[in-house]
Amino acid sequence: MLVELNMYQTLGIAVLVLLFGEQLKKRIALLERFCIPAPVVGGLIYAIVMTVLYALNLVEFSYDKTLKDLCMVIFFTSVGFQANIRILKRGGVGLLIFLGIVIAMIFAQNLLSIGLAKLVGVDNGIGLSTGSIPMVGGHGTSAAFGPILEDFGFKGATTICSAAATFGLVMGSLMGGPLAQRRIRKHNLTQNYSVMEKESEADEEAHHPLPGKYATATYQLAIAIGLGTILSWLLSLTGLTFPVYIGGMLVAAIMRNLSEHISGMEMRMGEINEIGDICLTLFLGIAMITLKLWQLADLALPLILLLTGQTVLMFIFAYFIVFNLMGMDYDAAVLSAGFCGFVMGATPNAMANMQAITQKYHPSIRAYIIIPIVGSMFADFINSLVITMFINSI
């Protein structure tokens, strides 16, 4: 039996699930210790229950994802408001280094997928269905390239890509917090505040949330999102595909930096950040309850091995390469957590991983700026080019 839920019912279930996750984190020390995001905790349990109900042919729920997309746009617009050029200049080189790591990861995921495919005796196209298409690309890229692989004669590629993206979403969310936690404790990184973090804290104190100011923050977000739709339309005229939130994010960055020089144009940063955090949590909550874990049951053993290989690759990159090349400091540890969610899920999952760490310790503006910029402006474009190259070579 199929039960269709509207956007209000979907939101209500998502909130109940994430509240359940928060209660579990309070009662299970291991979850809190490893910084597993509350929506992931509650969402996974909910997804497992839904899978059992589906397997028993009792009920299947269909969700309206309208508010999921809205929360995503609001969150990334709030991130755009954090893009203070004065602070950004200090992380410019790090952004280029991180972009280079992501490009290397995209190639590594596809090379590994083809190599393992040959090892376990499946077609290269099936192997690519577990490479950067679902890993860095997520469900959106999977939906775009799965049919293309099927046109090349690889039957079931779309389903495999979607299932692999689901697997990546779960693993990336589960591994990010524990991995960063290990680095932070091993190197005692919470004692080392960077100059950027000190400036960020001073800035946050100057814009501390005040009662009655949330209306102003909401209006500022609404203006940025509205103008952002126009900017997104202009960007689409280039023929390139950009995420829906890129316009709002860029307009928010412009508004923030203009406010530094225009008297009376004060951005309510404390309130904007809190609204953004709420929307991020709601987005992840809705994303988790809409997971269809039963798709993974259709994967044969060779595909499970392919996905295990991708998980090991992600761990090696995040734990050793990202952490070491990004400076071996607190920012690098937070970026490692974000990298897990980013290269095996989606940018919002990366942000949720980092949020779980920063809520426990202290902010990392450098990480919060680098991940969205690379994820929204570079990764999908570069990934599409690399995927196209690999597909044409098989």
Side-chain angles (χ1 to χ4, degrees), residues 283-296:
F283 168 85
L284 191 56
I286 297 174
M288 292 302 298
I289 68 170
T290 56
L291 286 179
K292 296 182 178 180
L293 293 182
W294 56 83
Q295 292 178 336
L296 298 180

Side-chain angles (χ1 to χ4, degrees), residues 39-116:
V40 174
V41 175
L44 272 179
I45 294 176
Y46 179 87
I48 291 171
V49 172
M50 290 300 103
T51 299
V52 172
L53 294 177
Y54 175 84
L56 295 175
N57 291 320
L58 294 178
V59 66
E60 178 183 357
F61 290 100
S62 174
Y63 305 90
D64 186 316
K65 300 179 183 179
T66 302
L67 292 179
K68 172 188 170 185
D69 296 334
L70 176 61
C71 289
M72 177 183 67
V73 172
I74 294 174
F75 167 69
F76 278 107
T77 302
S78 75
V79 170
F81 277 106
Q82 297 183 35
N84 188 326
I85 291 179
R86 174 173 52 86
I87 296 176
L88 260 179
K89 287 180 178 178
R90 298 183 180 274
V93 176
L95 190 148
L96 294 177
I97 294 174
F98 188 79
L99 177 60
I101 295 172
V102 170
I103 294 174
M105 184 64 173
I106 291 172
F107 276 95
Q109 285 180 334
N110 289 311
L111 289 172
L112 178 65
S113 67
I114 292 177
L116 289 178

Side-chain angles (χ1 to χ4, degrees), residues 123-143:
D123 293 330
N124 288 343
I126 299 301
L128 283 179
S129 298
T130 63
S132 71
I133 294 176
M135 296 295 108
V136 170
H139 286 88
T141 304
S142 296

Side-chain angles (χ1 to χ4, degrees), residues 175-244:
M175 291 184 66
L179 186 148
Q181 179 88 335
R182 167 69 177 170
R183 281 302 194 185
I184 290 170
R185 291 193 172 189
K186 181 178 180 180
H187 298 277
N188 195 27
L189 299 178
T190 56
Q191 304 301 316
N192 301 318
Y193 284 72
S194 67
V195 174
M196 185 181 296
E197 299 312 322
K198 292 178 181 178
E199 290 187 4
S200 171
E201 288 185 354
D203 181 74
E204 187 68 21
E205 288 177 3
H207 301 85
H208 189 72
L210 296 172
K213 298 298 183 180
Y214 283 94
T216 302
T218 302
Y219 302 153
Q220 290 170 345
L221 282 165
I223 291 171
I225 292 171
L227 293 176
T229 60
I230 300 174
L231 180 56
S232 292
W233 173 74
L234 292 173
L235 289 173
S236 70
L237 297 180
T238 64
L240 302 176
T241 301
F242 293 92
V244 65

Side-chain angles (χ1 to χ4, degrees), residues 74 104 120 153 174 188 193 198 235 251 259 300 329 345 368 373 387:
I74 294 174
V120 299
L174 287 176
N188 195 27
Y193 284 72
K198 292 178 181 178
L235 289 173
V251 170
S259 71
D329 55 11
Y368 263 68
I373 290 177
I387 292 168

